[in-house]
Amino acid sequence: MSIQVLKPKFEIDECLDAVRECLEKGWTGMGFKTVEFENAWKEYTGHKNAYYLNSNTVGLHLAVKILKMQNGWKDNDEIISTPITFVSTNHVILYENMHATFADVDQYLCLDPVDVVKKINDKTRAVIFVGYGGRVGQLDKIIEICKKHNLKLILDGAHMSGTRVNGVCPGTWDGVDVTVYSYQAVKNLPTGDSGMICFADEKNDKLARQLAWLGINKDTYARSNKGTYAWKYDVDYVGYKYNGNAIMAAIALVQLKYLDRDNARRREIVEIYNKAFENNPKIKIVSAPYHDECSYHIYELIVPDREDLLGELAKNDIYGGVHYRDNTEYSMYLYAKGTCKYASEVSEHLITLPMHMWLTDEEVEKIISIVNKFVK
Ligand SMILES: Cc1ncc(COP(=O)(O)O)c(C=O)c1O
């Protein structure tokens, strides 16, 4: 059987029962399970606010939009972001007619605080930090920088479901204005597509709820919950249709029960991989700064010849991947090419090895043996 780079594992019977509950109740849209999941997520993470959405991408958009509205930012003001990420992180800056300024990454493939400081100017308003691979990187230093320079901080926590540092979810750290999670199909907590936005400030959470529901000031669930259906509402903004739905939330609620168990297995796999590669002088492991509770969404190595290694793995029916290519190489962001030296270098050598709940120890050993035989 072929080994995929990422492959979700669902608790199928429990998920089907939870979906059946929605179908039997006749409530598959926003509300019911979405509210249950928001509460469960708040309890699991310690976030004060949580609003369920149809993806992380739309959550990042709302984060930028709301901070822009609330703080009077202008078009062409700047947000500092990372070139090593999925393009969603950077597109949302452009959705709001702002400018994405790129800072380089560090050994954790997260934003490098030293380069972030160099990229700050009079037009800088915020930083988007990606907890890449679930790693917290030097987020603590980025928080200090944002406080010092009066910048807002958005945490793209797409990979961070379950990451904790000393038992605390980094998205809840003082100084993080908003954290956005992804429950896309292959994430640590997989659904079909969905996400969560967690604002530190309750006012912003309220606004997110309204903007994600077309700008309507009372959502359908709130209006139908009291026995009679109150049809009257006002529309204060040109909002979006960004809300999550009960079917996805039903799956999320089940998968959340198994997130810590799954992440513990991820850490076991990482340990086996790390031990096997640490003495190979041609391979550099991208490790986490704290080893206790990283979600390890993906497992990356830096190797001399990535394309050949991908080919060798494929010959053995094993499929590695590349997460992610330096965004300044895409046409949209070419204006920033050459501004992040390490990112552009490392982008040529990054390979993602299989990491998921279906992997057996024997398969991990097989992958290791092929990699270590080939990269020497
Ligand atoms: C770092 C990062 N940010 C944002 C996203 C977008 O997440 P979603 O697919 O839930 O919109 C992804 C998805 O791959 C991601 O890896």
Side-chain angles (χ1 to χ4, degrees):
M1 258 242 299
S2 71
I3 303 176
Q4 300 302 317
V5 63
L6 302 168
K7 185 178 173 187
K9 190 163 192 178
F10 292 98
E11 298 299 322
I12 295 173
D13 289 336
E14 270 190 78
C15 284
L16 289 176
D17 284 347
V19 169
R20 172 179 287 277
E21 231 186 300
C22 298
L23 301 178
E24 284 177 352
K25 187 180 168 75
W27 199 283
T28 53
M30 177 211 281
F32 178 38
K33 292 280 183 186
T34 66
V35 177
E36 249 185 70
F37 183 49
E38 286 164 11
N39 290 333
W41 190 250
K42 284 193 279 189
E43 195 174 322
Y44 176 77
T45 55
H47 280 290
K48 283 203 230 89
N49 302 297
Y51 180 55
Y52 190 55
L53 296 164
N54 61 44
S55 71
N56 159 294
T57 305
V58 302
L60 290 173
H61 178 210
L62 287 176
V64 172
K65 180 170 196 77
I66 289 171
L67 291 175
K68 188 181 183 205
M69 282 167 76
Q70 304 284 53
N71 295 287
W73 299 345
K74 304 269 185 308
D75 286 0
N76 300 316
D77 282 354
E78 299 184 14
I79 296 184
I80 295 176
S81 183
T82 169
I84 301 283
T85 187
F86 188 57
V87 285
S88 297
T89 316
N90 296 317
H91 278 9
V92 299
I93 302 171
L94 276 52
Y95 290 171
E96 285 302 309
N97 300 317
M98 295 182 73
H99 181 77
T101 302
F102 292 94
D104 215 338
V105 295
D106 59 12
Q107 70 270 36
Y108 310 117
L109 303 180
C110 293
L111 275 179
D112 174 8
V114 175
D115 203 46
V116 167
V117 170
K118 286 187 197 154
K119 303 286 170 66
I120 295 173
N121 64 40
D122 306 349
K123 289 178 123 191
T124 312
R125 302 290 172 251
V127 173
I128 302 184
F129 185 95
V130 178
Y132 197 82
R135 295 181 287 274
V136 75
Q138 301 186 68
L139 180 62
D140 49 351
K141 296 212 174 100
I142 300 287
I143 288 175
E144 273 173 38
I145 292 165
C146 287
K147 285 187 174 170
K148 183 168 168 207
H149 294 268
N150 197 24
L151 306 175
K152 296 293 175 193
L153 178 54
I154 298 166
L155 178 59
D156 178 351
H159 300 176
M160 293 185 101
S161 290
T163 290
R164 295 187 198 94
V165 177
N166 299 323
V168 177
C169 163
T172 66
W173 287 355
D174 176 47
V176 178
D177 292 286
V178 53
T179 305
V180 187
Y181 297 92
S182 173
Y183 314 118
Q184 178 264 347
V186 296
K187 294 295 189 285
N188 292 45
L189 195 165
T191 60
D193 256 318
S194 61
M196 191 76 86
I197 187 163
C198 300
F199 271 109
D201 184 333
E202 199 180 334
K203 273 198 315 291
N204 291 338
D205 175 72
K206 256 187 146 170
L207 190 49
R209 287 166 188 271
Q210 197 172 349
L211 285 172
W213 186 242
L214 287 313
I216 297 172
N217 67 356
K218 268 192 197 138
D219 71 55
T220 320
Y221 194 60
R223 282 185 285 124
S224 66
N225 224 6
K226 313 273 186 292
T228 53
Y229 183 78
W231 60 269
K232 247 193 179 171
Y233 57 74
D234 198 5
V235 184
D236 307 319
Y237 304 96
V238 181
Y240 306 88
K241 186 73 168 46
Y242 280 176
N243 61 285
N245 68 64
I247 301 267
M248 288 301 119
I251 295 173
L253 274 161
V254 172
Q255 294 296 125
L256 176 59
K257 289 199 271 175
Y258 301 96
L259 180 59
D260 284 344
R261 178 201 67 185
D262 289 357
N263 283 350
R265 170 64 182 154
R266 285 171 186 272
R267 287 194 286 277
E268 265 176 30
I269 296 170
V270 166
E271 229 169 85
I272 306 174
Y273 272 147
N274 280 355
K275 241 191 216 141
F277 297 133
E278 68 193 2
N279 293 322
N280 186 328
K282 290 278 172 71
I283 292 177
K284 204 166 156 219
I285 297 166
V286 182
S287 65
Y290 305 90
H291 292 283
D292 47 2
E293 285 182 280
C294 176
S295 65
Y296 286 114
H297 172 54
I298 46 180
Y299 185 83
E300 316 100 305
L301 295 177
I302 299 167
V303 295
D305 199 331
R306 183 219 2 243
E307 298 312 318
D308 282 0
L309 179 56
L310 281 170
E312 182 65 16
L313 287 166
K315 269 196 234 157
N316 289 276
D317 221 6
I318 297 168
Y319 299 93
V322 177
H323 297 85
Y324 288 98
R325 189 171 165 211
D326 174 2
N327 284 197
T328 70
E329 284 172 18
Y330 296 130
S331 310
M332 283 304 308
Y333 298 105
L334 264 181
Y335 65 82
K337 197 167 166 61
T339 59
C340 301
K341 197 166 162 287
Y342 184 61
S344 82
E345 213 177 280
V346 85
S347 164
E348 298 298 311
H349 298 281
L350 269 180
I351 181 168
T352 311
L353 294 188
M355 164 62 86
H356 50 74
M357 291 308 108
W358 296 89
L359 277 180
T360 62
D361 285 3
E362 292 70 37
E363 286 172 327
V364 175
E365 294 297 347
K366 183 175 170 195
I367 296 163
I368 287 168
S369 148
I370 293 167
V371 172
N372 270 338
K373 260 195 213 128
F374 195 75
V375 185
K376 56 181 187 203

